[in-house]
Amino acid sequence: MEGCYINTHLEDYIQDLYKYLRINRPNQLTIDSIAKKLDLNIYYGKFSLRFGHDLVIQKSTKQQEWQVFGHELGHYLRHCGNHYTMNRLFIDLQEYHANHFAYHFCVPTFMLQKTDELSISAIMNLFNVEYDFAVKRLEMYQNKLYKEELNHVL
């Protein structure tokens, strides 16, 4: 089934980003190494936000911090503007995009395709994400495979 997988624009973007950063294995996915390669400053605090080259990540579990890093990095790489002056609907759209980015950034498709065991626990352990995050990401990946298989058959 994986032979017919066609990447989305976001999947290509993230794969190209990781290629640029010379990251190709899950054990290379760390906040510190990625932030250093992107010249970002990481701070830990009581809430999460992005301001210029500074990302503040709410202090939590390592899994939650990784997921929040993916979300905030999505804002940093793909969004501009000041949330204080934006329409609420546009803010909601940017939040949706940052969440979607985080799923693909924290558990990249090109790495999932190389994973021998596609299970929730394997994704949790391999990519250092929480249970609910792994469930959602595996569901996203399997739905895409299923849709592409249907398109291939039809």
Side-chain angles (χ1 to χ4, degrees):
M1 222 191 291
E2 77 180 60
C4 67
Y5 193 94
I6 299 168
N7 282 348
T8 64
H9 172 73
L10 180 59
E11 289 167 324
D12 283 339
Y13 177 88
I14 289 170
Q15 186 171 356
D16 290 346
L17 174 64
Y18 278 131
K19 185 176 180 180
Y20 169 77
L21 298 174
R22 295 190 171 125
I23 293 174
N24 53 31
R25 294 183 315 278
N27 66 341
Q28 296 174 296
L29 299 173
T30 67
I31 294 171
D32 292 338
S33 67
I34 293 169
K36 184 177 180 180
K37 290 178 181 190
L38 292 173
D39 196 28
L40 295 171
N41 303 309
I42 302 296
Y43 302 97
Y44 294 88
K46 294 183 180 184
F47 51 87
S48 301
L49 63 92
R50 170 191 64 94
F51 185 76
H53 287 274
D54 298 333
L55 299 183
V56 178
I57 298 172
Q58 183 176 11
K59 194 73 179 137
S60 186
T61 65
K62 292 297 178 193
Q63 294 83 5
Q64 183 67 27
E65 289 172 3
W66 172 241
Q67 294 162 196
V68 169
F69 175 70
H71 176 94
E72 295 302 331
L73 189 66
H75 284 304
Y76 173 77
L77 294 172
R78 316 245 322 165
H79 298 150
C80 62
N82 181 343
H83 272 190
Y84 296 113
T85 62
M86 285 182 192
N87 181 291
R88 180 77 231 164
L89 291 174
F90 194 67
I91 294 170
D92 292 346
L93 179 64
Q94 285 193 345
E95 288 302 314
Y96 172 83
H97 285 160
N99 286 335
H100 192 68
F101 180 92
Y103 282 110
H104 289 278
F105 179 82
C106 294
V107 184
T109 300
F110 75 98
M111 291 186 194
L112 269 181
Q113 290 171 323
K114 298 174 187 171
T115 304
D116 293 331
E117 180 191 344
L118 282 178
S119 68
I120 295 165
S121 62
I123 291 171
M124 288 173 62
N125 294 325
L126 201 55
F127 297 97
N128 195 32
V129 294
E130 295 177 320
Y131 177 84
D132 290 343
F133 196 95
V135 168
K136 175 73 174 170
R137 184 62 180 100
L138 181 59
E139 180 183 273
M140 293 166 76
Y141 182 70
Q142 289 175 329
N143 284 344
K144 182 123 189 291
L145 288 176
Y146 179 71
K147 180 182 173 192
E148 297 214 0
E149 185 64 23
L150 278 180
N151 288 339
H152 186 69
V153 169
L154 298 176

